[in-house]
Amino acid sequence: MEQHVFDRLMRDDKLPHMWCRGCGNGIVLQSIIRAIDRTGIDQDKAVIVSGVGCSSRANNYTDFCGLHTTHGRPIAFATGVKMANPELQVIVVTGDGDSTSIGGNHFIQAARRNIDLTVVVFNNSNYGMTGGQYSPTTPVGAFTRTSVYGNIEPAFDVCRLAEGSGATYVARSTTYHVQSLIKYIASGITHKGFSVIDAMCDCPTLFGRINGLGDGAKMIAAWPEKTVSIEKAGTLSADELEEKVIIGEFVNSSRRSEYTEKYARIIEEAQRERADLK
Amino acid sequence: MKQEEKVDFRLNREYCKACGICTALCPKKAISADDEGKPSMINEEACIMCRLCELRCPDFAIRIGRMQ
Ligand SMILES: Cc1ncc(C[n+]2csc(CCOP(=O)(O)OP(=O)(O)O)c2C)c(N)n1
Ligand code: SF4
Ligand code: SF4
Protein backbone atom coordinates (compact mmCIF):
# COMPACT_ATOMS: atom_id res chain seq x y z
CA MET A 1 0.00 0.00 0.00
CA GLU A 2 1.27 3.48 -0.87
CA GLN A 3 2.50 5.50 2.05
CA HIS A 4 0.33 8.44 3.12
CA VAL A 5 1.54 11.81 1.83
CA PHE A 6 2.08 12.99 5.43
CA ASP A 7 4.40 10.05 6.07
CA ARG A 8 6.40 10.78 2.95
CA LEU A 9 6.69 14.56 3.10
CA MET A 10 6.22 15.58 6.75
CA ARG A 11 8.56 15.21 9.70
CA ASP A 12 6.49 13.31 12.17
CA ASP A 13 9.07 13.83 14.91
CA LYS A 14 8.32 17.58 14.82
CA LEU A 15 4.56 17.19 15.29
CA PRO A 16 2.27 18.25 16.92
CA HIS A 17 3.06 21.72 15.57
CA MET A 18 3.29 24.99 17.50
CA TRP A 19 0.26 26.72 15.99
CA CYS A 20 -2.79 27.57 18.08
CA ARG A 21 -5.99 25.57 18.12
CA GLY A 22 -7.92 26.34 14.93
CA CYS A 23 -5.10 28.36 13.31
CA GLY A 24 -5.33 28.20 9.52
CA ASN A 25 -1.58 27.86 8.97
CA GLY A 26 -1.78 24.07 9.21
CA ILE A 27 -4.34 23.93 6.39
CA VAL A 28 -2.14 26.05 4.13
CA LEU A 29 0.87 23.88 4.95
CA GLN A 30 -1.12 20.75 4.24
CA SER A 31 -2.14 22.27 0.89
CA ILE A 32 1.49 22.96 0.00
CA ILE A 33 2.48 19.39 0.84
CA ARG A 34 -0.32 18.00 -1.31
CA ALA A 35 0.45 20.40 -4.16
CA ILE A 36 4.11 19.38 -4.21
CA ASP A 37 3.01 15.76 -4.18
CA ARG A 38 0.64 16.37 -7.06
CA THR A 39 3.32 17.96 -9.26
CA GLY A 40 5.50 14.90 -8.73
CA ILE A 41 8.67 16.93 -8.23
CA ASP A 42 11.58 15.15 -6.65
CA GLN A 43 11.61 15.54 -2.87
CA ASP A 44 15.34 16.29 -2.96
CA LYS A 45 14.88 18.98 -5.59
CA ALA A 46 12.35 21.03 -3.60
CA VAL A 47 13.58 23.76 -1.29
CA ILE A 48 11.24 25.53 1.10
CA VAL A 49 12.35 28.96 2.24
CA SER A 50 10.63 30.88 5.03
CA GLY A 51 11.07 34.19 6.83
CA VAL A 52 9.98 34.88 10.38
CA GLY A 53 6.46 34.70 11.77
CA CYS A 54 4.04 32.00 12.91
CA SER A 55 3.52 31.00 9.27
CA SER A 56 7.25 30.88 8.58
CA ARG A 57 7.53 28.01 11.03
CA ALA A 58 5.85 25.85 8.39
CA ASN A 59 8.99 24.47 6.79
CA ASN A 60 10.23 23.09 10.12
CA TYR A 61 7.60 20.39 9.76
CA THR A 62 8.38 19.34 6.22
CA ASP A 63 10.88 16.82 4.93
CA PHE A 64 12.50 18.92 2.19
CA CYS A 65 15.63 20.98 2.01
CA GLY A 66 14.76 24.17 3.83
CA LEU A 67 15.96 27.57 4.88
CA HIS A 68 14.36 29.40 7.80
CA THR A 69 15.71 32.89 7.19
CA THR A 70 15.15 36.36 8.67
CA HIS A 71 12.02 38.47 8.85
CA GLY A 72 11.04 39.83 5.44
CA ARG A 73 13.94 38.28 3.56
CA PRO A 74 12.89 34.82 2.38
CA ILE A 75 12.44 35.96 -1.24
CA ALA A 76 15.98 37.39 -1.23
CA PHE A 77 17.40 34.10 0.09
CA ALA A 78 15.22 32.12 -2.32
CA THR A 79 16.51 34.23 -5.20
CA GLY A 80 20.06 33.25 -4.20
CA VAL A 81 19.17 29.57 -4.04
CA LYS A 82 17.47 29.66 -7.43
CA MET A 83 20.28 31.64 -9.10
CA ALA A 84 22.92 29.26 -7.78
CA ASN A 85 21.00 26.16 -8.74
CA PRO A 86 18.18 26.83 -11.21
CA GLU A 87 17.07 23.22 -11.38
CA LEU A 88 15.80 23.39 -7.80
CA GLN A 89 12.10 24.06 -7.22
CA VAL A 90 12.06 26.90 -4.72
CA ILE A 91 8.94 27.54 -2.68
CA VAL A 92 8.66 30.49 -0.31
CA VAL A 93 6.37 30.31 2.72
CA THR A 94 5.75 33.74 4.14
CA GLY A 95 3.28 35.80 6.18
CA ASP A 96 1.43 38.89 4.97
CA GLY A 97 3.72 41.00 7.15
CA ASP A 98 6.83 39.10 6.10
CA SER A 99 6.07 39.49 2.39
CA THR A 100 4.29 42.84 2.03
CA SER A 101 5.55 44.91 4.96
CA ILE A 102 9.24 44.48 5.77
CA GLY A 103 9.69 42.22 2.72
CA GLY A 104 7.59 44.26 0.30
CA ASN A 105 10.55 45.45 -1.72
CA HIS A 106 11.91 41.93 -2.24
CA PHE A 107 8.44 40.83 -3.26
CA ILE A 108 8.00 43.45 -6.00
CA GLN A 109 11.58 43.16 -7.31
CA ALA A 110 11.34 39.38 -7.64
CA ALA A 111 8.02 39.77 -9.45
CA ARG A 112 9.56 42.37 -11.76
CA ARG A 113 12.38 39.97 -12.64
CA ASN A 114 9.96 37.09 -13.12
CA ILE A 115 12.30 34.69 -11.36
CA ASP A 116 10.95 31.16 -11.05
CA LEU A 117 9.88 31.08 -7.38
CA THR A 118 6.54 30.03 -5.93
CA VAL A 119 5.50 32.31 -3.10
CA VAL A 120 2.68 31.20 -0.81
CA VAL A 121 1.48 34.10 1.32
CA PHE A 122 -0.20 32.89 4.54
CA ASN A 123 -2.50 35.90 4.68
CA ASN A 124 -4.12 36.14 8.12
CA SER A 125 -4.53 39.94 8.11
CA ASN A 126 -2.20 40.57 11.05
CA TYR A 127 1.18 39.96 12.63
CA GLY A 128 0.53 36.74 14.51
CA MET A 129 3.87 36.01 16.06
CA THR A 130 4.38 39.40 17.69
CA GLY A 131 0.92 39.68 19.23
CA GLY A 132 -1.55 40.82 16.59
CA GLN A 133 -0.42 44.19 15.21
CA TYR A 134 -1.97 45.40 11.93
CA SER A 135 -0.22 44.50 8.69
CA PRO A 136 -0.45 45.93 5.16
CA THR A 137 -3.29 43.48 4.46
CA THR A 138 -5.45 44.27 7.50
CA PRO A 139 -8.86 45.41 6.20
CA VAL A 140 -9.94 49.01 6.83
CA GLY A 141 -11.87 49.27 10.08
CA ALA A 142 -10.51 46.05 11.54
CA PHE A 143 -9.28 46.03 15.13
CA THR A 144 -5.79 44.90 15.99
CA ARG A 145 -3.39 45.50 18.85
CA THR A 146 -2.15 48.62 17.05
CA SER A 147 -5.47 49.78 15.57
CA VAL A 148 -7.66 49.81 18.65
CA TYR A 149 -10.00 52.41 17.10
CA GLY A 150 -10.19 50.49 13.82
CA ASN A 151 -7.60 50.40 11.05
CA ILE A 152 -7.46 53.59 8.96
CA GLU A 153 -4.94 52.30 6.38
CA PRO A 154 -6.21 50.86 3.11
CA ALA A 155 -5.05 47.27 2.60
CA PHE A 156 -2.79 45.95 -0.10
CA ASP A 157 -4.46 43.50 -2.44
CA VAL A 158 -1.62 40.94 -2.60
CA CYS A 159 -2.73 39.67 -6.01
CA ARG A 160 -2.97 43.09 -7.62
CA LEU A 161 0.37 44.03 -6.09
CA ALA A 162 1.91 40.87 -7.57
CA GLU A 163 0.30 41.39 -10.96
CA GLY A 164 1.26 45.06 -11.13
CA SER A 165 4.85 44.19 -10.31
CA GLY A 166 5.12 41.61 -13.06
CA ALA A 167 4.29 38.21 -11.53
CA THR A 168 3.28 35.75 -14.23
CA TYR A 169 1.14 33.41 -12.10
CA VAL A 170 -1.20 34.91 -9.52
CA ALA A 171 -4.08 33.24 -7.68
CA ARG A 172 -6.00 33.46 -4.44
CA SER A 173 -7.95 30.95 -2.41
CA THR A 174 -8.85 30.31 1.23
CA THR A 175 -8.49 27.51 3.74
CA TYR A 176 -12.21 26.82 3.32
CA HIS A 177 -11.72 26.37 -0.44
CA VAL A 178 -8.86 23.96 0.21
CA GLN A 179 -9.21 22.00 -3.03
CA SER A 180 -8.66 25.06 -5.21
CA LEU A 181 -5.91 26.22 -2.87
CA ILE A 182 -4.05 22.98 -3.56
CA LYS A 183 -4.72 23.31 -7.29
CA TYR A 184 -3.39 26.88 -7.47
CA ILE A 185 -0.26 26.08 -5.47
CA ALA A 186 0.42 23.12 -7.77
CA SER A 187 -0.08 25.36 -10.83
CA GLY A 188 2.25 27.94 -9.30
CA ILE A 189 4.93 25.30 -8.81
CA THR A 190 4.70 24.00 -12.37
CA HIS A 191 4.55 27.52 -13.81
CA LYS A 192 7.91 28.79 -15.03
CA GLY A 193 8.18 32.29 -13.60
CA PHE A 194 7.31 34.23 -10.47
CA SER A 195 4.16 32.74 -8.93
CA VAL A 196 2.15 34.14 -6.04
CA ILE A 197 -0.63 32.33 -4.23
CA ASP A 198 -2.48 34.49 -1.72
CA ALA A 199 -3.70 31.92 0.81
CA MET A 200 -6.34 33.53 3.01
CA CYS A 201 -6.29 31.96 6.45
CA ASP A 202 -7.35 32.68 10.00
CA CYS A 203 -5.60 33.71 13.19
CA PRO A 204 -8.36 33.00 15.72
CA THR A 205 -6.18 33.73 18.75
CA LEU A 206 -5.45 37.36 17.90
CA PHE A 207 -7.32 38.74 14.85
CA GLY A 208 -10.36 36.56 15.54
CA ARG A 209 -10.62 37.35 19.22
CA ILE A 210 -10.14 41.11 18.98
CA ASN A 211 -12.70 41.37 16.15
CA GLY A 212 -15.22 39.08 17.84
CA LEU A 213 -15.14 36.59 14.96
CA GLY A 214 -15.32 33.44 17.08
CA ASP A 215 -13.04 30.42 17.07
CA GLY A 216 -11.20 28.82 14.14
CA ALA A 217 -14.22 26.74 13.14
CA LYS A 218 -16.47 29.82 13.03
CA MET A 219 -13.86 31.84 11.12
CA ILE A 220 -13.25 29.25 8.42
CA ALA A 221 -16.99 28.75 7.96
CA ALA A 222 -17.32 32.47 7.17
CA TRP A 223 -15.17 32.36 4.02
CA PRO A 224 -17.92 31.42 1.54
CA GLU A 225 -19.85 34.52 2.64
CA LYS A 226 -16.78 36.79 2.46
CA THR A 227 -15.55 35.63 -0.95
CA VAL A 228 -16.71 35.77 -4.54
CA SER A 229 -15.25 33.95 -7.52
CA ILE A 230 -13.40 35.92 -10.17
CA GLU A 231 -16.03 34.83 -12.70
CA LYS A 232 -18.92 36.11 -10.58
CA ALA A 233 -16.99 39.26 -9.66
CA GLY A 234 -17.10 40.31 -13.32
CA THR A 235 -20.88 40.60 -13.12
CA LEU A 236 -20.98 42.65 -9.89
CA SER A 237 -20.82 46.41 -9.37
CA ALA A 238 -18.04 48.12 -7.42
CA ASP A 239 -20.48 48.60 -4.54
CA GLU A 240 -21.40 44.92 -4.49
CA LEU A 241 -17.72 43.99 -4.52
CA GLU A 242 -16.93 46.27 -1.58
CA GLU A 243 -15.53 44.16 1.26
CA LYS A 244 -15.62 40.98 -0.84
CA VAL A 245 -12.48 38.94 -1.31
CA ILE A 246 -12.13 37.78 -4.91
CA ILE A 247 -10.83 34.24 -5.31
CA GLY A 248 -9.55 32.50 -8.42
CA GLU A 249 -6.73 32.63 -10.93
CA PHE A 250 -5.83 36.21 -11.87
CA VAL A 251 -2.74 35.75 -14.04
CA ASN A 252 -1.35 32.71 -15.84
CA SER A 253 0.96 33.92 -18.55
CA SER A 254 4.05 32.64 -20.32
CA ARG A 255 4.63 35.79 -22.36
CA ARG A 256 7.59 37.06 -20.36
CA SER A 257 10.74 34.95 -20.18
CA GLU A 258 12.03 33.71 -16.87
CA TYR A 259 14.99 35.33 -15.14
CA THR A 260 17.38 32.39 -14.55
CA GLU A 261 16.95 31.27 -18.16
CA LYS A 262 17.94 34.70 -19.38
CA TYR A 263 20.82 34.74 -16.94
CA ALA A 264 22.03 31.36 -18.21
CA ARG A 265 22.36 32.91 -21.66
CA ILE A 266 24.46 35.74 -20.20
CA ILE A 267 26.75 33.20 -18.54
CA GLU A 268 27.13 31.36 -21.82
CA GLU A 269 27.90 34.53 -23.72
CA ALA A 270 30.45 35.69 -21.16
CA GLN A 271 32.17 32.30 -21.24
CA ARG A 272 32.31 32.36 -25.00
CA GLU A 273 33.83 35.82 -24.95
CA ARG A 274 36.47 34.69 -22.47
CA ALA A 275 37.32 31.66 -24.56
CA ASP A 276 37.73 33.93 -27.62
CA LEU A 277 40.21 36.10 -25.74
CA LYS A 278 42.50 33.19 -24.94
CA MET B 1 -21.47 4.83 1.42
CA LYS B 2 -22.44 1.33 0.56
CA GLN B 3 -22.50 -1.08 3.46
CA GLU B 4 -19.63 -3.20 2.12
CA GLU B 5 -17.27 -0.21 1.79
CA LYS B 6 -16.50 0.50 5.41
CA VAL B 7 -14.99 3.85 6.29
CA ASP B 8 -11.58 3.85 7.85
CA PHE B 9 -11.54 7.05 9.95
CA ARG B 10 -8.34 7.45 11.93
CA LEU B 11 -7.70 10.23 14.39
CA ASN B 12 -4.36 10.99 15.95
CA ARG B 13 -5.64 12.10 19.35
CA GLU B 14 -2.25 13.47 20.30
CA TYR B 15 -2.18 15.86 17.32
CA CYS B 16 -5.86 16.88 17.46
CA LYS B 17 -6.43 20.19 19.28
CA ALA B 18 -10.23 19.87 19.30
CA CYS B 19 -10.71 22.98 17.14
CA GLY B 20 -14.02 21.70 15.77
CA ILE B 21 -13.28 22.57 12.12
CA CYS B 22 -13.75 19.02 10.80
CA THR B 23 -17.04 18.42 12.56
CA ALA B 24 -18.44 21.90 11.78
CA LEU B 25 -17.67 21.58 8.06
CA CYS B 26 -18.49 17.92 7.35
CA PRO B 27 -21.13 18.33 4.62
CA LYS B 28 -22.96 15.18 5.73
CA LYS B 29 -22.55 15.48 9.50
CA ALA B 30 -21.00 12.02 9.47
CA ILE B 31 -18.51 12.95 12.16
CA SER B 32 -19.30 14.53 15.48
CA ALA B 33 -17.33 15.91 18.41
CA ASP B 34 -16.93 13.62 21.40
CA ASP B 35 -16.83 14.90 24.98
CA GLU B 36 -13.24 16.07 24.48
CA GLY B 37 -14.28 17.98 21.34
CA LYS B 38 -12.43 15.54 19.08
CA PRO B 39 -14.15 13.96 16.08
CA SER B 40 -15.51 10.47 15.82
CA MET B 41 -17.35 8.77 12.98
CA ILE B 42 -21.01 8.57 13.95
CA ASN B 43 -22.66 7.86 10.62
CA GLU B 44 -20.58 5.83 8.19
CA GLU B 45 -23.49 5.46 5.80
CA ALA B 46 -23.75 9.22 5.42
CA CYS B 47 -20.04 9.68 4.63
CA ILE B 48 -19.49 10.42 0.93
CA MET B 49 -15.68 10.16 1.23
CA CYS B 50 -15.12 13.76 0.14
CA ARG B 51 -12.14 13.74 2.51
CA LEU B 52 -12.69 17.39 3.39
CA CYS B 53 -12.23 16.61 7.10
CA GLU B 54 -8.73 15.34 6.39
CA LEU B 55 -7.93 18.22 3.98
CA ARG B 56 -9.12 20.93 6.35
CA CYS B 57 -7.65 19.58 9.57
CA PRO B 58 -5.00 22.15 10.53
CA ASP B 59 -3.26 19.61 12.76
CA PHE B 60 -2.57 16.67 10.43
CA ALA B 61 -4.67 14.56 12.79
CA ILE B 62 -7.15 12.88 10.41
CA ARG B 63 -6.69 10.13 7.88
CA ILE B 64 -9.77 8.88 6.15
CA GLY B 65 -10.07 6.14 3.58
CA ARG B 66 -11.85 2.93 2.77
CA MET B 67 -11.27 -0.24 4.75
CA GLN B 68 -8.85 -2.41 2.79
C1 LIG C 1 14.01 42.49 11.36
C2 LIG C 1 12.88 42.10 12.23
N1 LIG C 1 11.90 43.00 12.50
C3 LIG C 1 10.85 42.64 13.28
C4 LIG C 1 10.79 41.39 13.81
C5 LIG C 1 9.62 41.03 14.68
N2 LIG C 1 8.65 40.20 14.01
C6 LIG C 1 8.70 38.86 14.08
S1 LIG C 1 7.46 38.11 13.25
C7 LIG C 1 6.82 39.61 12.79
C8 LIG C 1 5.56 39.72 11.98
C9 LIG C 1 4.88 38.43 11.69
O1 LIG C 1 3.76 38.66 10.90
P1 LIG C 1 3.52 37.88 9.56
O2 LIG C 1 4.69 37.97 8.68
O3 LIG C 1 2.24 38.37 8.97
O4 LIG C 1 3.40 36.35 10.00
P2 LIG C 1 2.39 35.63 11.01
O5 LIG C 1 3.08 35.56 12.34
O6 LIG C 1 1.10 36.39 11.07
O7 LIG C 1 2.24 34.29 10.41
C10 LIG C 1 7.59 40.66 13.28
C11 LIG C 1 7.29 42.09 13.07
C12 LIG C 1 11.83 40.48 13.53
N3 LIG C 1 11.82 39.22 13.96
N4 LIG C 1 12.87 40.86 12.74
S1 SF4 D 1 -1.04 33.55 16.96
FE1 SF4 D 1 -2.44 33.43 15.23
S2 SF4 D 1 -1.13 32.99 13.44
FE2 SF4 D 1 0.06 32.54 15.30
S3 SF4 D 1 -0.26 30.33 15.66
FE3 SF4 D 1 -1.77 31.45 16.90
S4 SF4 D 1 -3.61 31.55 15.61
FE4 SF4 D 1 -1.86 31.02 14.27
S1 SF4 E 1 -9.97 19.56 12.46
FE1 SF4 E 1 -8.25 18.29 13.23
S2 SF4 E 1 -7.55 19.33 15.10
FE2 SF4 E 1 -9.58 20.16 14.61
S3 SF4 E 1 -11.01 18.87 15.82
FE3 SF4 E 1 -10.86 17.97 13.77
S4 SF4 E 1 -9.25 16.41 13.97
FE4 SF4 E 1 -9.05 17.78 15.74
Side-chain angles (χ1 to χ4, degrees), chain B residues 4-22:
Chain B
E4 61 270 20
E5 293 172 349
K6 289 197 69 83
V7 181
D8 185 11
F9 182 84
R10 290 189 212 172
L11 177 71
N12 184 327
R13 298 193 75 84
E14 191 209 334
Y15 291 178
C16 172
K17 294 183 184 141
C19 69
I21 289 177
C22 56

Side-chain angles (χ1 to χ4, degrees), chain A residues 8 81 100 172 235 260:
Chain A
R8 281 182 286 120
V81 173
T100 66
R172 178 187 291 120
T235 68
T260 57

Side-chain angles (χ1 to χ4, degrees), chain A residues 49-223:
Chain A
V49 184
S50 70
V52 167
C54 292
S55 44
S56 284
R57 294 291 290 264
N59 65 351
N60 297 18
Y61 306 112
T62 65
D63 196 10
F64 300 102
C65 297
L67 276 178
H68 190 170
T69 72
T70 55
H71 188 42
R73 314 296 172 211
I75 293 176
F77 282 89
T79 298
V81 173
K82 186 73 188 179
M83 290 296 284
N85 207 341
E87 89 242 20
L88 296 175
Q89 284 285 349
V90 186
I91 297 157
V92 175
V93 296
T94 177
D96 41 289
D98 202 59
S99 59
T100 66
S101 190
I102 186 169
N105 195 28
H106 300 296
F107 183 88
I108 58 174
Q109 306 305 336
R112 178 174 64 83
R113 293 182 184 125
N114 193 31
I115 185 163
D116 186 24
L117 306 175
T118 305
V119 178
V120 182
V121 180
F122 290 54
N123 191 346
N124 63 8
S125 313
N126 77 162
Y127 290 179
M129 182 159 267
T130 43
Q133 295 82 0
Y134 68 83
S135 87
T137 65
T138 303
V140 171
F143 298 104
T144 67
R145 206 57 81 78
T146 44
S147 60
V148 289
Y149 298 103
N151 183 28
I152 57 167
E153 298 187 14
F156 268 145
D157 177 326
V158 170
C159 292
R160 289 176 64 191
L161 181 67
E163 181 176 2
S165 309
T168 46
Y169 183 87
V170 181
R172 178 187 291 120
S173 190
T174 79
T175 47
Y176 180 92
H177 306 88
V178 60
Q179 290 136 315
S180 65
L181 182 58
I182 298 168
K183 191 175 81 184
Y184 297 152
I185 298 171
S187 302
I189 293 170
T190 7
H191 176 77
K192 197 127 198 72
F194 192 72
S195 305
V196 174
I197 295 89
D198 189 18
M200 303 302 294
C201 56
D202 299 310
C203 168
T205 302
L206 300 163
F207 193 81
R209 186 180 294 166
I210 199 167
N211 287 288
L213 302 173
D215 62 6
K218 256 230 167 92
M219 288 180 83
I220 191 174
W223 282 110

Side-chain angles (χ1 to χ4, degrees), chain A residues 240-255:
Chain A
E240 289 170 310
L241 281 176
E242 186 88 23
E243 288 178 21
K244 288 277 187 202
V245 175
I246 304 176
I247 53 174
E249 227 174 43
F250 298 89
V251 183
N252 188 353
S253 156
S254 49
R255 272 189 42 223

Side-chain angles (χ1 to χ4, degrees), chain A residues 11-22:
Chain A
R11 294 175 66 179
D12 193 52
D13 56 321
K14 298 282 181 191
L15 294 170
H17 58 57
M18 52 83 73
W19 295 314
C20 303
R21 176 172 175 258

